[in-house]
Amino acid sequence: MLSVSPRSRRMQRSTARLVFLVASFIFFAVVARAQPDCPSSLVVGDLREAPPSGWERLGAHEESSEPRSLRRVTFSDGHPREKALLRPYSSRPEANGDRTDVYRFSPVSDDGIWIVCQYEHTRQMLFRPLTASTCEVIESDRPERRVRSVWCQ
């Protein structure tokens, strides 16, 4: 039978703890980065039935079977019907023609922060409450405005 020294056992336990902590950190980092992804496109005529699960709709009903691409993501202080859209805390152009807008929601108002998804060639918008304190939106302005990613924490 192999004999393991007390020092080796301590090192094994320390290594196991370290592996557990790293795995936990990675898991919670992935969960914390769960993003409030707007649907990448929508058919506005389908919104008469119901918006996608978890979303609310704003805008007069339109008859169209053409898919509309996500054009812009912004945020509102309070319900979007109040039209209190927020300006970015900062905005920086990237060398590739993209632009990164950073939104900071501190302190959060009593009405809450809402993510607002706007689509091409329609006034229909989707929105829902947001629990993040900071969001980054990366958009491309070439050849036309497109949302590349939204990251919140």
Side-chain angles (χ1 to χ4, degrees), residues 96-118:
N96 64 358
D98 290 354
R99 186 185 70 253
T100 300
D101 292 334
V102 177
Y103 294 82
R104 293 202 176 138
F105 316 120
S106 180
V108 175
S109 74
D110 292 340
D111 298 324
I113 301 298
W114 296 66
I115 184 170
V116 180
C117 312
Q118 300 172 342

Side-chain angles (χ1 to χ4, degrees), residues 22-140:
V22 168
S24 297
F25 177 78
I26 291 169
F27 171 78
F28 287 111
V30 168
V31 169
R33 289 183 62 149
Q35 299 309 309
D37 291 333
C38 293
S40 60
S41 67
L42 80 118
V43 175
V44 295
D46 292 348
L47 294 178
R48 178 175 286 229
E49 304 287 321
S53 180
W55 293 93
E56 294 180 51
R57 176 185 65 83
L58 183 63
H61 180 72
E62 299 172 28
E63 290 296 329
S64 175
S65 59
E66 295 292 316
R68 307 294 186 193
S69 296
L70 181 64
R71 180 172 186 268
R72 187 165 187 227
V73 174
T74 190
F75 304 90
S76 69
D77 183 355
H79 197 283
R81 282 191 188 96
E82 303 300 320
K83 299 181 180 164
L85 296 179
L86 300 172
R87 292 189 180 274
Y89 173 80
S90 66
S91 186
R92 67 181 180 274
E94 306 292 342
N96 64 358
D98 290 354
R99 186 185 70 253
T100 300
D101 292 334
V102 177
Y103 294 82
R104 293 202 176 138
F105 316 120
S106 180
V108 175
S109 74
D110 292 340
D111 298 324
I113 301 298
W114 296 66
I115 184 170
V116 180
C117 312
Q118 300 172 342
Y119 294 86
E120 293 181 326
H121 311 296
T122 182
R123 292 183 180 217
Q124 297 281 324
M125 294 183 271
L126 296 178
F127 57 90
R128 68 179 172 191
L130 184 69
T131 58
S133 61
T134 302
C135 289
E136 283 189 11
V137 178
I138 299 176
E139 295 180 339
S140 173

